[in-house]
């Protein structure tokens, strides 16, 4: 399929790079592609960024049939622009689509479309330290019908947003607590899919956490409230007695690409990484024995978010003196270095946009 390109006549003024907020500003162009039952994906195009017209009966607005992804483009010291494991994001988007009854798309074509879009808007990729271009691919149901079934038409969009450093003041440990009323998901639900509905369902818990003064929620499994699953919208790692632990992908956990990369990175350093079921009681026990050395959350937006403490049953468990752990910093430096092209990439994770 060819990508039709319609460029904006007058480009928008560029932004002050030292002052970028997350997800507020968007570039000059966006990618769109339609799906029609019987015809497949068609009309791939890059057009000026702007509002999308759709029916008030569009199914996504009623029943939330939608999936999305998040990845970043970085400007390297030599001025070239690179993506981090984009094939993993599009693979996961198709797996999310399977769960949400959205038709699959061609992953190689999506990468080509993304590279073309980023190339057209390349002047929007910021180069100040810690900045990047956040990429949001998403797909949603557009059929004008309010009966409940899967849609017959969809729109695939990619929009781009220049973002600042997640940690302007350096990596800062966060406070978390355990949510005991709301559940994020249960086995058989949509927890493994990256879909907007999961986030809508999590807002009440997020609001509650913020009102109690916590930045993060430690989610336990929804059925037994026993097993550790994720932290906020990130995966979680524990360094206990010299070994790294992260909850296994049991069907309710979002398979993070940062998670996967950190497992590979730690193993390449000769560290032991164990993916297993872990209960909250085990964590508390290990903490009592003084064996919990570091806790950190992982995801594309922040890469690593060190966790300083956990409130549970009226007790505050403090990790690593509420300071950044040695490995949290080391993993962050290495991964961020590879992503931004400041360090060599022995894993072949990065892809230049003009490759
Ligand atoms: C996106 C996401 C993550 C992190 O995935 P990355 O690929 O590392 O960005 C973790 N948990 C949830 C719920 C997510 O939506």
């Amino acid at each position: 399929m060819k990508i039709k390109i319609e460029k904006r006549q007058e480009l928008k003024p560029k932004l002050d790079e030292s002052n970028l907020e997350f997800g507020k500003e968007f570039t000059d162009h966006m990618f769109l592609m339609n799906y029609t039952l019987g015809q497949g994906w068609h009309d791939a195009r890059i057009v000026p960024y702007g509002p999308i017209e759709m029916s008030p009966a569009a199914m996504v607005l009623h029943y939330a049939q939608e999936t999305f992804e998040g990845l970043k483009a970085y400007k390297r010291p030599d001025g070239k622009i690179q993506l981090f494991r984009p094939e993993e994001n599009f693979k996961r988007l198709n797996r999310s689509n399977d769960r949400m009854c959205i038709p699959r798309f061609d992953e190689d074509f999506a990468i080509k479309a993304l590279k073309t879009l980023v190339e057209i808007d390349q002047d929007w990729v910021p180069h100040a330290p810690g900045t990047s271009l956040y990429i949001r691919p998403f797909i949603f149901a557009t059929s004008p019908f309010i009966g409940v079934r899967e849609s017959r038409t969809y729109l695939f969009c990619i929009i781009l947003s220049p973002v600042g450093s997640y940690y302007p003041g350096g990596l800062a440990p966060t406070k978390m607590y355990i949510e005991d009323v709301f559940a994020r998901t249960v086995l058989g639900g949509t927890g493994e899919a990256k879909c907007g509905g999961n986030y809508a369902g999590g807002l009440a818990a997020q609001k509650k956490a913020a009102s109690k003064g916590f930045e993060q929620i430690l989610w336990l499994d929804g059925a037994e409230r026993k097993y550790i699953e994720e932290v906020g919208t990130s995966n979680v790692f524990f360094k206990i007695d010299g070994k790294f632990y992260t909850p296994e992908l049991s069907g309710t956990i979002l398979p993070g690409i940062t998670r996967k990369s950190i497992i590979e990175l730690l193993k390449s350093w000769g560290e032991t990484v164990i993916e297993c079921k872990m209960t909250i009681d085990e964590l508390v026990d290990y903490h009592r024995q003084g064996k919990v050395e570091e806790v950190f959350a992982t995801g594309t937006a922040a890469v690593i978010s060190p966790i300083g403490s956990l409130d549970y049953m009226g007790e505050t468990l403090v990790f690593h003196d509420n300071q950044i752990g040695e490995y949290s910093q080391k993993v962050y430096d290495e991964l961020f270095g590879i992503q931004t092209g400041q360090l060599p990439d022995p894993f072949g994770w990065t892809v230049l946009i003009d490759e």
Side-chain angles (χ1 to χ4, degrees):
M1 197 184 343
K2 261 189 73 84
I3 303 171
K4 206 179 126 215
I5 296 172
E6 180 204 331
K7 288 202 185 163
R8 183 186 286 273
Q9 294 295 318
E10 220 174 295
L11 300 182
K12 298 195 257 183
K14 295 294 180 294
L15 307 164
D16 173 10
E17 278 191 16
S18 60
N19 217 351
L20 294 171
E21 280 180 61
F22 184 86
K24 260 182 99 169
E25 304 286 348
F26 300 92
T27 65
D28 283 311
H29 298 91
M30 61 184 178
F31 171 79
L32 300 177
M33 176 166 70
N34 292 82
Y35 178 91
T36 307
L37 189 67
Q39 191 184 354
W41 290 103
H42 61 92
D43 281 299
R45 58 204 185 274
I46 289 171
V47 296
Y49 179 89
I52 293 168
E53 189 168 300
M54 61 180 169
S55 163
M59 294 180 81
V60 66
L61 301 176
H62 305 274
Y63 309 121
Q65 198 190 1
E66 187 260 5
T67 54
F68 72 95
E69 270 303 325
L71 67 160
K72 284 175 171 178
Y74 307 85
K75 195 162 268 172
R76 310 195 319 182
D78 64 6
K80 292 188 177 169
I81 296 164
Q82 69 185 18
L83 304 167
F84 184 73
R85 310 189 85 173
E87 68 289 348
E88 292 287 338
N89 290 91
F90 287 122
K91 245 199 274 179
R92 184 171 66 189
L93 187 54
N94 261 334
R95 286 200 309 267
S96 299
N97 282 1
D98 291 344
R99 179 64 181 84
M100 303 307 287
C101 298
I102 296 174
R104 286 186 155 249
F105 58 89
D106 181 328
E107 291 159 21
D108 291 332
F109 180 74
I111 292 182
K112 188 178 125 195
L114 172 59
K115 285 178 171 178
T116 309
L117 177 65
V118 173
E119 193 154 26
I120 289 174
D121 279 349
Q122 58 179 288
D123 290 346
W124 285 91
V125 185
H127 40 61
T131 61
S132 58
L133 186 71
Y134 186 81
I135 300 165
R136 168 55 54 86
F138 57 109
I139 305 177
F140 60 90
T142 54
S143 286
F145 178 61
I146 53 171
V148 180
R149 57 153 167 79
E150 71 267 29
S151 182
R152 290 175 184 160
T153 58
Y154 297 87
L155 190 64
F156 185 138
C157 309
I158 306 177
I159 57 174
L160 308 173
S161 174
V163 296
S165 170
Y166 205 84
Y167 295 108
L171 290 186
T174 55
K175 286 167 63 179
M176 75 178 170
Y177 89 123
I178 289 180
E179 173 51 51
D180 56 2
V181 176
F182 303 112
R184 195 185 81 88
T185 187
V186 290
L187 192 60
T190 56
E192 228 178 1
K194 212 168 173 74
C195 61
N198 287 346
Y199 280 66
L203 290 176
Q206 194 179 314
K207 249 180 96 172
K208 185 173 146 195
S211 75
K212 290 171 175 274
F214 295 99
E215 289 119 331
Q216 300 273 23
I217 296 162
L218 178 65
W219 292 106
L220 301 182
D221 73 284
E224 294 181 73
R225 309 246 178 207
K226 196 170 143 186
Y227 299 102
I228 294 171
E229 298 210 319
E230 296 202 41
V231 169
T233 56
S234 311
N235 296 112
V236 64
F237 284 74
F238 302 89
K239 182 164 177 271
I240 300 171
D241 210 12
K243 295 187 180 116
F244 292 86
Y245 294 83
T246 190
E248 66 182 8
L249 301 177
S250 53
T252 49
I253 292 169
L254 199 290
I257 295 158
T258 318
R259 173 188 182 278
K260 180 176 177 167
S261 305
I262 289 172
I263 292 172
E264 290 171 41
L265 186 64
L266 286 169
K267 285 186 174 168
S268 80
W269 290 345
E271 300 295 337
T272 305
V273 186
I274 300 160
E275 295 175 69
C276 60
K277 274 188 176 306
M278 241 183 107
T279 66
I280 182 65
D281 291 340
E282 283 173 295
L283 179 70
V284 171
D285 267 356
Y286 281 127
H287 185 265
R288 285 216 180 96
Q289 298 168 39
K291 287 185 176 167
V292 180
E293 293 155 11
E294 294 184 38
V295 184
F296 56 87
T298 72
T300 296
V303 188
I304 292 253
S305 175
I307 298 180
S309 66
L310 166 68
D311 276 45
Y312 179 55
M313 309 275 255
E315 216 187 315
T316 302
L317 282 61
V318 175
F319 306 120
H320 205 270
D321 250 352
N322 218 348
Q323 304 293 314
I324 300 147
E326 179 198 343
Y327 276 86
S328 310
Q329 186 73 51
K330 213 171 129 183
V331 168
Y332 174 83
D333 289 344
E334 183 71 21
L335 198 53
F336 192 66
I338 293 173
Q339 288 171 336
T340 52
Q342 270 144 353
L343 293 177
D345 169 19
F347 302 95
W349 285 336
T350 53
V351 179
L352 287 169
I353 59 155
D354 55 8
E355 236 161 44

